[in-house]
Each structure stands twice: as C-alpha cells, then as structure tokens.
Amino acid sequence: MVVACLGTMAGAPPAAAAAGTFQQVTGFGSNPGHLTMYTYTPADLPAGAPLVVALHGCTQSAEDYYTHSGWQKYADLWGFEVVFPQTDSSNNALSCFSWFDTAKDTRDQGEAASVRQMVNEAETQHGSDSHRIFVTGLSAGGGMTADLLADYPDVFAGGAVDSGLPAQCATTSAAASGCQYSDQKLSPAQWGDKVRGSHPGYPGPWPRVAIWQGSSDTTVNPVNGSELRDQWTDVWGIGQTASSTRSLPGGTTLSSYDDGTGKPAVELYSIAGMAHGLAVQPGSGTDQCGTTGTYYLSSICSSYYTALFWGLDGSADGGGTGSLPAPTGVQVGATTGTTVSLAWNAVDGAASYTVYRDGTAAGSVTGTAFTDTGLSGGASYRYTVAAVDAGGAVGASSTAVTATTTGSEPQCFTDTNYDHVAAGRAHRSGGYTYANGSNQNMGLYNVFVRHTLARTAPGYYLIADSGCPS
C-alpha cells in the first residue's frame, strides 16, 4: 500500500521447476505506465485459453508473486496463461501500483493503459479467449485490480481483490491512507457510482468479483471488504444481503451474492484472524497452493477458490460450489477420428457426473464412463469431470486430461517469420519468433528469416524445414 510498507521478499525461495515458461515480454506497446511485463505460459497451451492478470503488492515483484501465489499450479492444471505486471521504485517509492492516482489508474491512462496493452499482447501471442480474461491482485495490486475492473468492464470477465480497496476509493496520494484505515461512510449507490463513472455509458455485462479480506488486517481495514461488497453488488443491482453462506478451510466464511439467474456475481471471503496478505495453503492437494513468505499467509488457497469462481477449472458455469470432491483417475481410453472415450473413479455421494470439453459441458452420465462424439479428426481436446450431488450442486473439477482424435494429415506452410506471426502460426517475444503450440524458436522476428511449419494438430506447429512429415 502507499502508507504501510508490505516488506521486502529477501530470501524468497526460487520458483519451482515447471513444464511452462516464466519470462519477460518486451515491446508490448507504448507502455505509458512504465511497467514491466512477465508471463507464465504452460507447455502446449492451446489457442483460445483463458488469461489471468496477477498484480503484486508493494515492495514485491512479478517473480515474487509468481513464486508464492499458486497461480502457476492452476495454469498448468487447467490450461491458461498468467500475465504478471511489475512496477518499481521509479514509479512509486515502495513499488506500489498507483490505485490512488487518476493520472495512472483510469481508463487508457498510465499504468491502467499499460496493463491493457499487456492483455492485447498476450491475446496476440497466444490467441487468448477474449471472453475469459480475468484480473487479480494483492493490497495495492488489489486496489489497482478494482480500478481495472471499473475501467475495463468490457475487457475483464471477472476479478479478485485480495486485501485491497474499492475502485476509485482515493483519487490522490493524500487521501489513500483514509481509504486504508477508515470507513468512508458511503452508500452502496455512491460506491457503485465510482464504477459506473469510470467507463460512462457502459451498459454491461459486469465482471464477477471475488473479495478476500482478513479480519485482523491492520494495513487495509477489514471495512474495505464490506465496501467492495457494497460497490459491486450495487453495480450488479442485487442488494447487499447474501444469497448463501458457507464455511471453508482456514476459518474462512464465504458469502455469495447471486445474480438473477442464481449464479454468484459477487463473493466475499472473510478469513478469521488473518492479517494483511494473500491467503495460501502449501501442499500437494488440488485445493492447496502457494508457498508462505512475507505477506503470503498460510490459511486457505485463495487462488484455487478464485479460479473455481471464474470457471477456470473447466466448468461451464463457474461450478465448484458443491461439496463433492474432484473425481480422480480420469483416463483417456479409445479414440477414433470422431470419438473420445473417458473413464474415472466413482465419487461417494455423486448422483451424476458432468464432463467438460474445453470448458463447455459435453454431456452428463450417471456412471463413470463417457464417450464424446461428433469430434474433428486430428484435433486435441481438453477434458475435466465434476461430480454432481442429488441437489444438482456441481463439485470440484478433476485434473484435466488431453485427448487427440485420429485421422488428420499434417499441413505445411513456408513463409517468413513475420508472415507466420501475421497468419497466426507463430508468435513473437523479445525480438524472436516461436512456433505456436510447440514453442520452438524460429529465430529473429523479421521478413528475412524463412521456415516451413507443419500443422500437426489445431493450433500446434512444428519446424519442418527438411520436409513436410507424412
């Protein structure tokens, strides 16, 4: 935050080895906010995957957040890219995102504009699904998250504010401490007007917002969680009385505020006894993530529950609100040019199972096997399975498995690196060109280097300069 330092990350453990790539991306735009862009991209990320933007807190860095927050785990597990913007002391003495400065946190200005340019770059490089772009952040990064949701409701489908502030709570540095420590005594409508005024005339739809707040936070007063709840429920027009509440691990109470269809639009996670920081829960379980450190506090894996709320686990409706655990042992069986067979272990208490193909429900069965039909030959599909209880509540989704149908011959394309990128067969990063899917380095991004690329599956290309594979 601006007034209270979040502490340094000296001695932070190194990032765990992973199949994906964490790297800096340059040349992503005019960058009026003078930010640095980093990305984590899982191996074999398909086109049309979701995108998450994750903003660090004061005195922290993109690498700190990548290392501790747990987002890398779910990017690998469920198949999405993460952008980690970074600010530094040249922008703010404590390396805080400037959530309190209208020259930096409003639509198409300063840091907000730089983050928007990062989203554009990620969409260009990997063909991200423009309808599944999300933003989250801690503390000052949480305050900037709320501002970005208000600035760009046409860009972000959802957000998560962790120990942060309502959108446009302060418009000057001098006013920031008042927001951090004090009840601003505004009505829900007044809070909602700050969002509506950030992009005047925008008719909706609005982002779905998760709010995480510790009850013992002395850096960002817990009243900010209530104010965020008031702000975003007013924007949605759904009132401030919870539709439901339930208990989660780590002394966490989840209050859900549903839209007119019965789907949670705003969720408030109140963590009893937690101080200022991001809630993590180290461990190997699906619902465990992150590592502890300065302002990374062992309690509950906030990234897991946020990802469920957004539907990143592959559920069509955000799912994961039921109590049943994720099915285990999901396996791909026989495949043909048009079908994929799946099987999994039974879940106690399950009345049925929903199978999701690339995030969309493909079918529902009462048994533990399913055959998906009507598929394209030589195509790769990503599947998850969720158990459904007798009341229709969808539980957590399984680990994703990938299946490839048979029956497609490779197609080859010979062109310059520049034209490969323009045609969507490759992407650029740091002045170099990389084949989509395989991520093979093709050399400099220009019109003088030529390669033959073989398309062996939808969105997957290999360098084939020696000849098109048969």
Side-chain angles (χ1 to χ4, degrees):
M1 305 308 301
V2 173
V3 177
C5 176
L6 290 187
T8 64
M9 296 303 302
T21 303
F22 178 75
Q23 63 183 357
Q24 183 178 347
V25 177
T26 59
F28 58 85
S30 60
N31 192 17
H34 308 292
L35 303 181
T36 305
M37 177 180 179
Y38 291 86
T39 61
Y40 178 72
T41 308
D44 302 328
L45 182 73
L51 176 67
V52 173
V53 178
L55 301 161
H56 64 78
C58 297
T59 76
Q60 297 175 339
S61 69
E63 187 170 4
D64 296 332
Y65 215 62
Y66 160 75
T67 300
H68 290 279
S69 66
W71 280 110
Q72 170 196 324
K73 175 176 180 174
Y74 299 110
D76 285 333
L77 187 63
W78 292 325
F80 57 87
E81 184 178 21
V82 188
V83 171
F84 293 92
Q86 178 175 293
T87 187
D88 57 35
S89 58
S90 65
N91 290 330
N92 175 278
L94 298 179
S95 297
C96 304
F97 287 100
S98 301
W99 58 271
F100 49 83
D101 186 341
T102 55
K104 298 179 180 180
D105 69 355
T106 53
R107 186 177 175 93
D108 299 333
Q109 299 294 316
E111 294 174 8
S114 290
V115 173
R116 178 67 179 101
Q117 291 174 355
M118 293 181 192
V119 170
N120 288 342
E121 179 70 12
E123 288 183 286
T124 299
Q125 286 195 12
H126 296 290
S128 307
D129 184 347
S130 62
H131 299 291
R132 292 189 294 166
I133 298 175
F134 306 91
V135 59
T136 182
L138 167 64
S139 193
M144 181 60 80
T145 292
D147 289 339
L148 287 166
L149 291 170
D151 295 340
Y152 298 106
D154 51 336
V155 173
F156 296 107
V161 182
D162 295 85
S163 303
L165 298 301
Q168 296 301 324
C169 182
T171 56
T172 66
S173 179
S177 60
C179 290
Q180 286 181 236
Y181 300 128
S182 305
D183 185 343
Q184 299 302 289
K185 302 187 184 302
L186 298 181
S187 68
Q190 288 173 312
W191 282 119
D193 284 344
K194 290 179 179 290
V195 173
R196 288 182 285 268
S198 296
H199 187 20
Y202 177 72
W206 296 99
R208 298 183 183 272
V209 181
I211 303 154
W212 292 83
Q213 182 64 54
S215 67
S216 297
D217 192 334
T218 57
T219 300
V220 173
N221 190 294
V223 73
N224 283 277
S226 300
E227 291 171 339
L228 277 158
R229 182 271 318 276
D230 290 352
Q231 182 172 65
W232 289 99
T233 53
D234 181 77
V235 168
W236 275 85
I238 56 177
Q240 289 73 55
T241 300
S243 304
S244 64
T245 60
R246 65 187 180 109
S247 297
L248 297 176
T252 304
T253 299
L254 167 58
S255 301
S256 297
Y257 302 81
D258 296 349
D259 64 14
T261 69
K263 180 178 178 180
V266 178
E267 290 190 338
L268 174 59
Y269 297 79
S270 301
I271 307 174
M274 193 181 88
H276 186 67
L278 182 74
V280 299
Q281 186 185 19
S284 59
T286 301
D287 61 348
Q288 295 175 306
C289 74
T291 56
T292 57
T294 306
Y295 298 99
Y296 297 94
L297 308 178
S298 183
S299 175
I300 180 176
C301 174
S302 57
S303 299
Y304 170 75
Y305 287 94
T306 294
L308 291 185
F309 174 53
W310 292 339
L312 294 179
D313 61 323
S315 60
D317 62 355
T321 58
S323 60
L324 293 179
T328 60
V330 180
Q331 293 183 335
V332 177
T335 62
T336 70
T338 59
T339 66
V340 167
S341 295
L342 302 166
W344 55 89
N345 297 328
V347 173
D348 289 342
S352 64
Y353 301 88
T354 299
V355 178
Y356 299 95
R357 181 203 320 121
D358 295 334
T360 300
S364 179
V365 293
T366 56
T368 57
F370 175 77
T371 298
D372 197 14
T373 61
L375 306 176
S376 300
S380 294
Y381 298 95
R382 192 178 185 89
Y383 291 93
T384 57
V385 182
V388 183
D389 64 23
V394 181
S397 287
S398 69
T399 298
V401 296
T402 300
T404 302
T405 55
T406 61
S408 177
E409 293 297 324
Q411 291 180 277
C412 286
F413 308 85
T414 301
D415 223 324
T416 69
N417 281 357
Y418 177 88
D419 287 330
H420 278 308
V421 171
R425 296 185 288 267
H427 59 277
R428 62 185 178 87
S429 177
Y432 288 86
T433 308
Y434 299 86
N436 286 347
S438 69
N439 213 39
Q440 290 178 312
N441 191 330
M442 299 164 58
L444 292 172
Y445 173 65
N446 58 38
V447 296
F448 304 107
V449 180
R450 296 178 65 85
H451 283 291
T452 296
L453 292 182
R455 177 181 178 272
T456 59
Y460 196 94
Y461 295 85
L462 294 168
I463 297 175
D465 292 339
S466 59
C468 193
S470 58

